[in-house]
Amino acid sequence: MKEKLAFLFIIGLFAQKGFAQSTQAPAFPLVTHDPYFSIWSNNDVLNAAATMHWSGTEQPLTGFLKVDGTVFRFLGNSPEVFKNILPAADDVPFKCKYTETQPAENWMNPGFNDQNWKQAKADFGNLEGVSNTPWTSRNIWVRREFVLDDLAFSEPMLKLKYDDDIKVYLNGNLVFEAGCCANKYRLAPMSAAVKAMLKKGKNLLAIQVVNTGGGGFLDFGIVEKIKKTEPANVKMAVQKSVKLNATQTIYQFQCGGADLELTFTSPLLLHNLDILARPVTYISSKIRANDGQIHAVSLHFGASSRIAADHGNEQMVAKTYKANGLIILETGTQSQPVLQKKGDDLRIDWGYLYLATAENADTKASISQTETPFLLGKNKLQGKKLMLQTTVDFGKIGTEAREQVILLGYDDLYSIQYFGENVKPWWKQNGTTIGQELRSAMNDYAVIIDQCKKVNQLIHDDAAKAGGEKYAQLCELAYRQCIAAHKLVKSPSGELLFLSKENFSNGSINTVDVTYPSAPLFLTYNPELLKGMLNGIFYYSESGKWTKNFPAHDLGTYPKANGQTYPEYMPVEECGNMMILTAAICKAEGKTEYAKIHWKTLEIWADFLTREGFDPTNQLCTDDFAGHLARNVNLSAKSIVALAAFADLAQTMGETAVFEKYDAIAKSYVKKWMEMSNDGDHYALTYDKKGTWSQKYNLVWDKVLKLNYFPKQVFDAEIKYYLTKQNEFGLPLDSRATYTKSDWVIWTSVLSDNPHDFQALIDPIFHFATATSSRVPLSDWHETKTGKMVGFQARSVVGGYFMKVLEEKMKGKK
């Protein structure tokens, strides 16, 4: 788990007529389409650092404006540069000696005889399709000899990627030791003492890594840091403001005598699946003079080939061409390993990135090996870390704004592997090509921007009406993050699938207890997408591929949905989730067809919850990071609400006998729940431990779906108690620790009918979102005392922030 610490710059506010918009965020979304095509700025100032994939790996976008010959940088920053002393395998393949059997005590010394050790190509690991050499045991010992001809290094650093625990020896001396883990390359500076251990001639790096569980990995080398310099003729544009709404992030810059409005629009329109699925972001630059004078202006925009690579050192190919009235730049890896890898901390390394502009005489496109603003590169190029570059000469600009629209798109060829069959993205279902999508995106620009503005207004106004301005800004922060953690495809049989990736967790695909908290956004604005989040789980059970009498936890590890890979079950959790969400879909749509299709499966799950759900055995729930828990009162509440929702469905469908059975069961369980969990002025964490407490967020569905099985006194007592337990950054999850889950806090807040109490619970979450020092896409798991991220980032569960909006929408439903 990582925390990115950054100084919180003071940002000027820039009001837009119509409605207020968020001006602060832990990270700002720029390009947001799916778990692979997702680029963010983790800084308040856009030109303070490189843009990044949500996982924290640099995926640079760059932008420069030339005004009367002076160049201003407004996007990105000069990347740090490192020179190889001893290349790691991500850069230059190498072979070394290794063993998985305990060696002699002196194994790390230069004179040790390793002739019986195996020799193989690094890197080493146990993730499918990721490593050159499989390592599946607990321990690995590695020896790598290398020769140095020169020792004149200024800032040498160990370059290490490891999972879990590591010890590094240089020429027999322990020079680095760390626990779990470095899922990205860690650069560890070598002290003067360690640097003195290097010698001309033969040297030895010896490393031991212990895999304590889960993923295992090792790659290593030595690099030298090269001093970073900005070109002498480049000045930094002055950022005057940043704001974001549901679909856009908008920056204002001053570049000498010209002002620049830079807008990133990812048109995630939930009501239009074809536009939602189109993998194209608009980048608009509007430029005008700010001093009443006339200025010569040119625009330069760049996109790194790293956006189409996993670790950034792959061999890339790039070209530029003209088609359909567009000037197009294209890049992708040379190897194109389509759907070969799966896991969490991975980026796409197949398919192609596209940068496109309208074709005209004032626009030039080229490719270069390095960032070269306003200098033409080549039309074709191969190598590592290439830059796609387009330059537009505006000529003379006065006080009337001129606009340039740039398209950034991605064709992933095949998106998901679904039970052994590779599935194309939704937008390709009718044979559409990426060229056609780019052309359509350019043609539709004005119409789509207008639709985005209407969606922005809708999302803001719905949330503000439901919960006030701070709550509305939380929903705006959540909107793109939630949607872009999914991929929209059709199954081989033609079913809609909207599959999540469990980002910054374990990389699972279509995790049920990630779908559950994400659901309010989609229930509110398009229940078809929530069906797409449940369809695969229903298919898994109903096809016979999953044979248990409760739902699976997931469908695999992203992007391979071939069956559950999570090592444990969450039987009561996932059973309750699937039943509640099915009932919620039917309530939102005002019809029961979806439940009818899966009625036999729902009956099996209802029977399971009747037997196992009220007093759960020792098992995991969605809050699995908190550990196993028996007799979990909140989990029991979920089971009861699920049975109540099932009874409600049965009554609506005219299944009188089924309704009477489960109505009676749910009512009897509510009575027992209240008696057994009662702890005076609140209800306990578990049935057997008084003096404890927990957020009973699962009860929210009883209220939102208007089931009304739990009396209002339960909600009121819990809210009153919670308000005595808050810290600066929110209400802890339960009495075991001071961390919280922000999605659950918002669900908990909806239990209250008192606007003051609702706001008292929301305000600390808003404070966290706008003041946290953890500069990553919004984390849903943070410390309530410090406001720092504990784990999880960029996850879809922030769609749960829309629960208050959903409550308002459901008030008109029967």
Side-chain angles (χ1 to χ4, degrees):
M1 301 176 187
K2 291 188 175 180
E3 294 176 353
K4 297 193 183 333
L5 305 179
F7 179 76
L8 289 176
F9 294 91
I10 297 174
I11 302 244
L13 300 181
F14 186 87
Q16 175 173 310
K17 183 178 179 181
F19 63 99
Q21 299 172 74
S22 302
T23 57
Q24 290 175 292
F28 291 87
L30 305 178
V31 180
T32 47
H33 291 279
D34 61 44
Y36 285 139
F37 195 29
S38 182
I39 306 171
W40 298 68
S41 171
N42 289 359
N43 285 269
D44 294 311
V45 177
L46 188 60
N47 56 11
T51 55
M52 293 189 174
H53 184 256
W54 64 258
S55 61
T57 293
E58 288 187 0
Q59 292 192 332
L61 299 174
T62 61
F64 301 85
L65 197 69
K66 185 189 290 184
V67 181
D68 298 329
T70 301
V71 177
F72 297 87
R73 178 193 288 275
F74 60 83
L75 172 58
N77 207 310
S78 297
E80 290 189 317
V81 179
F82 300 92
K83 177 183 177 182
N84 279 323
I85 297 173
L86 180 67
D90 71 319
D91 199 11
V92 179
F94 68 88
K95 290 184 177 181
C96 60
K97 295 289 190 74
Y98 80 100
T99 183
E100 296 176 67
T101 304
Q102 178 73 52
E105 290 185 0
N106 64 337
W107 68 273
M108 75 290 293
N109 292 335
F112 177 76
N113 185 354
D114 60 11
Q115 71 177 69
N116 292 326
W117 288 27
K118 299 175 183 177
Q119 180 170 291
K121 182 187 292 186
D123 49 28
F124 302 87
N126 63 2
L127 297 179
E128 181 180 332
V130 173
S131 299
N132 288 317
T133 298
W135 160 44
T136 57
S137 62
R138 179 177 172 82
N139 287 276
I140 189 168
W141 293 263
V142 176
R143 289 168 56 87
R144 181 184 182 186
E145 290 186 345
F146 60 99
V147 175
L148 294 177
D149 298 323
D150 186 5
L151 299 179
F153 310 126
S154 58
E155 292 187 60
M157 298 178 168
L158 291 170
K159 177 181 176 181
L160 304 168
K161 185 176 180 181
Y162 54 90
D163 190 354
D164 293 293
D165 303 340
I166 188 171
K167 291 183 179 180
V168 180
Y169 299 85
L170 175 59
N171 292 326
N173 302 290
L174 180 64
V175 296
F176 182 85
E177 183 175 7
C180 180
C181 16
N183 292 323
K184 291 182 171 51
Y185 286 92
R186 175 175 180 176
L187 300 177
M190 299 172 71
S191 67
V194 173
K195 182 180 173 182
M197 295 175 190
L198 294 169
K199 57 186 180 180
K200 284 189 177 182
K202 189 180 292 185
N203 292 263
L204 175 73
L205 270 179
I207 297 178
Q208 179 190 5
V209 178
V210 181
N211 180 18
T212 58
F217 190 87
L218 172 62
D219 188 20
F220 60 99
I222 304 175
V223 297
E224 179 182 15
K225 186 176 181 179
I226 306 300
K227 186 177 180 181
K228 185 172 78 169
T229 57
E230 185 77 55
N233 64 331
V234 175
K235 295 184 177 181
M236 300 302 284
V238 177
Q239 182 177 309
K240 299 192 295 183
S241 69
V242 57
K243 59 186 179 181
L244 65 81
N245 51 49
T247 67
Q248 297 174 305
T249 302
I250 306 165
Y251 294 88
Q252 299 286 341
F253 292 95
Q254 181 176 349
C255 305
D259 285 347
L260 165 67
E261 180 179 279
L262 180 70
T263 303
F264 294 85
T265 304
S266 294
L268 303 185
L269 307 179
L270 292 178
H271 66 280
N272 187 330
L273 297 187
D274 291 336
I275 300 301
L276 175 69
R278 178 185 285 167
V280 179
T281 281
Y282 297 104
I283 304 168
S284 161
S285 299
K286 291 182 180 178
I287 306 158
R288 59 166 60 88
N290 58 35
D291 57 4
Q293 303 300 309
I294 301 297
H295 299 281
V297 176
S298 298
L299 173 74
H300 177 96
F301 185 88
S304 171
S305 66
R306 294 188 65 178
I307 299 168
D310 176 19
H311 52 74
N313 280 320
E314 295 92 336
Q315 285 290 329
M316 311 298 294
V317 294
K319 64 181 179 180
T320 180
Y321 57 94
K322 297 178 181 179
N324 301 316
L326 299 174
I327 302 175
I328 299 173
L329 289 148
E330 171 190 303
T331 188
T333 59
Q334 198 169 50
S335 58
Q336 289 296 305
V338 178
L339 290 169
Q340 289 186 17
K341 298 177 181 178
K342 64 179 183 179
D344 184 23
D345 189 17
L346 294 174
R347 288 133 303 274
I348 196 167
D349 57 2
W350 72 90
Y352 296 90
L353 172 72
Y354 293 86
L355 180 63
T357 53
E359 182 181 355
N360 62 65
D362 297 322
T363 301
K364 307 295 181 184
S366 65
I367 308 138
S368 68
Q369 200 77 53
T370 58
E371 185 179 77
T372 56
F374 301 104
L375 295 177
L376 284 178
K378 298 182 178 180
N379 292 328
K380 290 184 179 180
L381 198 60
Q382 295 187 15
K384 300 177 182 180
K385 300 177 182 176
L386 307 178
M387 286 297 297
L388 309 184
Q389 302 179 133
T390 188
T391 299
V392 181
D393 184 355
F394 286 92
K396 302 295 184 179
I397 286 184
T399 55
E400 184 177 341
R402 297 268 300 277
E403 181 178 18
Q404 175 67 40
V405 177
I406 294 172
L407 307 179
L408 198 67
Y410 205 97
D411 181 1
D412 56 4
L413 307 178
Y414 290 90
S415 304
I416 300 292
Q417 190 172 92
Y418 189 69
F419 293 100
E421 186 168 339
N422 291 352
V423 178
K424 292 181 179 180
W426 176 277
W427 59 269
K428 280 192 169 188
Q429 59 184 305
N430 296 319
T432 306
T433 67
I434 189 64
Q436 291 169 328
E437 286 290 270
L438 291 169
R439 183 65 263 175
S440 294
M442 189 65 82
N443 290 343
D444 299 343
Y445 174 65
V447 172
I448 289 177
I449 293 299
D450 183 62
Q451 291 180 16
C452 285
K453 289 179 178 179
K454 290 177 180 177
V455 167
N456 298 340
Q457 190 84 48
L458 176 69
I459 296 301
H460 175 272
D461 290 355
D462 282 353
K465 178 182 176 182
E469 186 57 38
K470 289 182 179 178
Y471 174 67
Q473 291 189 35
L474 285 171
C475 289
E476 289 175 321
L477 285 176
Y479 185 85
R480 272 176 282 171
Q481 175 171 315
C482 175
I483 298 169
H486 298 80
K487 188 68 181 184
L488 183 62
V489 298
K490 275 190 177 179
S491 74
S493 64
E495 254 192 334
L496 186 151
L497 298 173
F498 193 51
L499 303 176
S500 65
K501 179 176 180 179
E502 193 170 342
N503 289 344
F504 212 82
S505 181
N506 57 19
S508 291
I509 187 170
N510 205 193
T511 303
V512 177
D513 58 284
V514 168
T515 294
Y516 178 66
S518 307
L521 171 59
F522 305 106
L523 279 167
T524 303
Y525 295 108
N526 191 344
E528 287 298 320
L529 289 169
L530 182 55
K531 291 179 188 177
M533 298 157 76
L534 304 189
N535 287 340
I537 299 295
F538 275 122
Y539 169 76
Y540 196 15
S541 286
E542 293 165 357
S543 66
K545 299 177 188 296
W546 178 261
T547 58
K548 300 188 181 300
N549 58 349
F550 53 82
H553 168 272
D554 59 76
L555 290 184
T557 302
Y558 198 92
K560 298 190 177 186
N562 296 324
Q564 178 171 326
T565 52
Y566 191 71
E568 292 193 61
Y569 306 130
M570 296 184 187
V572 173
E573 174 73 39
E574 311 303 20
C575 222
N577 293 343
M578 290 294 292
M579 293 178 67
I580 289 170
L581 294 182
T582 300
I585 287 170
C586 295
K587 185 80 73 170
E589 292 188 325
K591 55 186 180 181
T592 58
E593 274 70 14
Y594 192 68
K596 288 177 182 177
I597 295 170
H598 303 294
W599 193 249
K600 289 184 180 179
T601 304
L602 293 170
E603 285 186 306
I604 293 170
W605 294 343
D607 179 66
F608 175 84
L609 284 186
T610 301
R611 292 181 288 103
E612 304 290 341
F614 174 74
D615 195 354
T617 58
N618 190 38
Q619 60 189 275
L620 291 175
C621 69
T622 186
D623 303 316
D624 55 356
F625 51 84
H628 293 73
L629 192 64
R631 314 199 72 186
N632 184 335
V633 170
N634 186 45
L635 186 59
S636 175
K638 173 176 288 185
S639 175
I640 297 168
V641 173
L643 292 172
F646 184 67
D648 186 65
L649 276 173
Q651 184 180 39
T652 305
M653 291 168 59
E655 297 281 350
T656 304
V658 176
F659 162 69
E660 291 177 348
K661 174 184 177 180
Y662 285 101
D663 176 67
I665 290 170
K667 286 177 177 176
S668 69
Y669 281 174
V670 169
K671 183 179 179 181
K672 289 173 63 178
W673 185 95
M674 292 177 64
E675 292 171 351
M676 293 172 60
S677 64
N678 190 292
D679 199 8
D681 58 353
H682 68 285
Y683 297 88
L685 169 67
T686 64
Y687 285 129
D688 58 341
K689 293 180 181 177
K690 304 305 178 184
T692 62
W693 64 275
S694 65
Q695 291 187 45
K696 309 303 187 302
Y697 54 81
N698 285 317
L699 291 175
V700 73
W701 293 105
D702 186 59
K703 183 185 181 194
V704 170
L705 299 180
K706 294 177 288 188
L707 303 172
N708 301 321
Y709 278 74
F710 283 83
K712 186 174 182 295
Q713 70 190 63
V714 172
F715 303 162
D716 291 345
E718 286 290 283
I719 291 293
K720 184 177 180 180
Y721 188 80
Y722 297 150
L723 292 174
T724 70
K725 296 296 180 181
Q726 291 214 100
N727 293 319
E728 180 182 354
F729 294 97
L731 176 67
L733 182 66
D734 56 47
S735 53
R736 291 176 290 175
T738 57
Y739 55 62
T740 198
K741 289 281 272 80
S742 56
D743 47 343
W744 297 150
V745 175
I746 291 177
W747 286 27
T748 294
S749 73
V750 179
L751 294 176
S752 175
D753 286 328
N754 183 322
H756 176 78
D757 291 345
F758 168 80
Q759 205 63 51
L761 290 163
I762 290 295
D763 284 353
I765 301 303
F766 179 81
H767 180 40
F768 158 73
T770 56
T772 178
S773 60
S774 301
R775 304 311 303 272
V776 297
L778 194 58
S779 172
D780 55 285
W781 180 19
H782 72 268
E783 263 294 340
T784 61
K785 289 188 174 181
T786 66
K788 292 183 179 181
M789 162 187 165
V790 178
F792 304 156
Q793 66 190 48
R795 301 204 316 158
S796 66
V797 302
V798 295
Y801 287 12
F802 285 80
M803 183 60 86
K804 187 67 175 175
V805 180
L806 178 64
E807 181 191 34
E808 289 296 312
K809 294 289 185 181
M810 287 294 192
K811 285 180 178 178
K813 306 289 183 180
K814 293 183 178 179

